[in-house]
Amino acid sequence: MTDTALPGASLRPVSPLRAETSALLRLAGPMTLVALINMAMTLTDTLMAASIGAAALASVAVGSDFYSIIFVFAAGTISALAPLYAAAAEAGDTSRLRRLRAAGWMLALLLTVAAVPLIWTAPGYLCQLGIPEALLEEGRGYTRAMAATLVPMLVVAVLRNRLLALERPGLIARVTACAIPANAALNWFLMHGAGNWNGFGVTGLGLSSLLVACGIAGALWLACKRHGDQGFDFAATAELREALRVGLPIGFTMLAELGVFLGTTLFAARFGAEAAAAHALTIRLAGIAYAVSIGLQQAATVRMARRADVGDRWLPSIAGTRLGLAAGLAHAAILGAVAVPLASAVLQDPATAATATGLIMLLALSELLVPLGAVAAGLMRGLKDTRMPMVYSLLGNWGVTLPTALLLTAADLGVTGLWLALSSGSLIASALTALRLRRYRALRLA
């Protein structure tokens, strides 16, 4: 008897869990790329500042790091817009979308008024932290340019969160990728000038950042307009309060995570150039791994907000948890495999390379849980649960890391003790956040 089955009849339909996993990956991939591109632009600025001299490099580093601290807090606060906007988009609530757009601009304005003067006047008070006044004066123009850059970057943060909530991450990635060559070209021109014009020196780096940020903001605004994401209703007091309630804990969480890593970089320098070099290599690898975790976290936030709005918390929770665990295993395996050859290739001194190898292995250990913790935090943000993840982040990154680092470095473990403390804090914060997610596991239809 001839087989007369129709073509394709044996194909199985895609399961809901598989479809949800694919949706998460489609969002996470471009957002990871955006994070990596932002790191590449920061590295470009650093290398080009170094071409002028050590003083220029140091002044840019101080201004850039201080700006980053302020911006991370502000952008984290604005990121509350993503889950609120995603839920409203899923429900087709055009009135709430109009109010949320207005609330986003109101929030950006509040943060601008508070933060821009803080950065603008920074050279006048950072000397109280022991930073040489000559160094601060060298970077005064750069720091003020970065204060101005904060304005378009907060506009970018609002528009990115709206496009992410509408599941248009590819647009964000393409626009951000175009900024790399523009940033490098403007850096060179504004720093060194052309013809008889000598440029602005290190101030040119800040002016370049300002122009690039304005370009990104304009491109994202056009993208939103092209997709019909426009129109405002400024009767949005309730939405603004909700965005602050959800967003401020996120801002403090991101500030806690950034602060501990910036602090350890300064602390590592106390143990000598070799220890600082080993730490620098490890912290760069941590940044690359963190970009993956951030991409997964942002995707989990949007997918949970959308699915929870239709009464399904289960699928994004399971899919996100599996991806977080898979990413953790992949990070640990890759870091473990490259630790010895990478440290030996980058660091010529055998003792320094051996130290770096140990630090990378400690990073690999912590990365077993860090992506899972990031995804869990993202899922809870989608459910507007942001306060307890903030508490866990503060507890792990400061309550555990800081005293453990002081104890272990006092016991002459040096930079290795520092990374033991970092790994312990990250593991505890990630584990507590993942355990918090379990409270939602039984709420399939809640």
Side-chain angles (χ1 to χ4, degrees), residues 301-327:
T301 298
V302 170
R303 290 305 303 170
M304 177 58 88
R306 283 182 169 271
R307 297 307 303 168
D309 191 70
V310 296
D312 180 14
R313 296 173 174 175
W314 185 253
L315 279 177
S317 177
I318 294 300
T321 298
R322 290 182 178 181
L323 284 175
L325 287 170

Side-chain angles (χ1 to χ4, degrees), residues 126-413:
L126 286 180
C127 58
Q128 298 178 18
L129 299 178
I131 300 173
E133 290 187 20
L135 189 66
L136 293 169
E137 189 59 37
E138 172 86 14
R140 183 180 293 274
Y142 171 81
T143 302
R144 288 183 171 178
M146 292 308 296
T149 300
L150 185 69
V151 180
M153 283 306 298
L154 292 181
V155 173
V156 169
V158 171
L159 296 173
R160 275 181 180 172
N161 278 283
R162 280 165 45 181
L163 287 168
L164 177 62
L166 297 175
E167 302 197 4
R168 297 287 189 275
L171 283 171
I172 303 171
R174 287 193 293 273
V175 168
T176 308
C178 292
I180 291 182
N183 181 61
L186 283 170
N187 277 351
W188 184 263
F189 174 69
L190 293 173
M191 283 175 64
H192 300 290
N196 294 326
W197 178 53
N198 294 324
F200 295 108
V202 292
T203 301
L205 286 174
L207 294 173
S208 172
S209 296
L210 174 61
L211 293 174
V212 169
C214 288
I216 295 174
L220 292 179
W221 180 80
L222 289 174
C224 286
K225 184 177 180 180
R226 188 168 66 248
H227 287 85
D229 185 43
Q230 54 186 333
F232 314 100
D233 180 357
F234 283 94
T237 305
E239 281 74 16
L240 178 60
R241 284 200 301 266
E242 187 177 15
L244 284 169
R245 179 182 63 80
V246 175
L248 283 173
I250 299 175
F252 283 115
T253 298
M254 296 182 69
L255 191 60
E257 294 171 351
L258 175 67
V260 73
F261 278 94
L262 287 177
T264 54
T265 298
L266 296 175
F267 200 58
R270 298 177 56 188
F271 304 113
E274 293 80 7
H279 173 82
L281 175 60
T282 310
I283 209 79
R284 295 298 179 272
L285 292 174
I288 295 171
Y290 185 68
V292 176
S293 296
I294 283 295
L296 287 171
Q297 183 181 77
Q298 292 175 323
T301 298
V302 170
R303 290 305 303 170
M304 177 58 88
R306 283 182 169 271
R307 297 307 303 168
D309 191 70
V310 296
D312 180 14
R313 296 173 174 175
W314 185 253
L315 279 177
S317 177
I318 294 300
T321 298
R322 290 182 178 181
L323 284 175
L325 287 170
L329 290 171
H331 287 181
I334 293 170
L335 288 168
V338 305
V340 174
L342 182 63
S344 300
V346 174
L347 303 168
Q348 302 302 316
D349 178 58
T352 305
T355 300
T357 298
L359 301 188
I360 295 170
M361 295 303 293
L362 287 172
L363 174 63
L365 176 64
S366 67
E367 281 296 318
L368 282 169
L369 284 185
V370 166
L372 176 61
V375 168
L379 291 168
M380 284 184 284
R381 288 176 188 178
L383 297 169
K384 305 176 190 177
D385 180 0
T386 57
R387 188 167 300 175
M388 289 311 298
M390 175 190 68
V391 171
Y392 299 147
S393 180
L394 290 170
L395 176 63
N397 288 305
W398 290 96
V400 173
T401 296
L402 183 59
T404 304
L406 293 174
L407 180 65
L408 294 178
T409 54
D412 292 328
L413 289 178

Side-chain angles (χ1 to χ4, degrees), residues 49 72 83 108 181 357 377 425 435:
V72 160
T357 298
L435 288 172

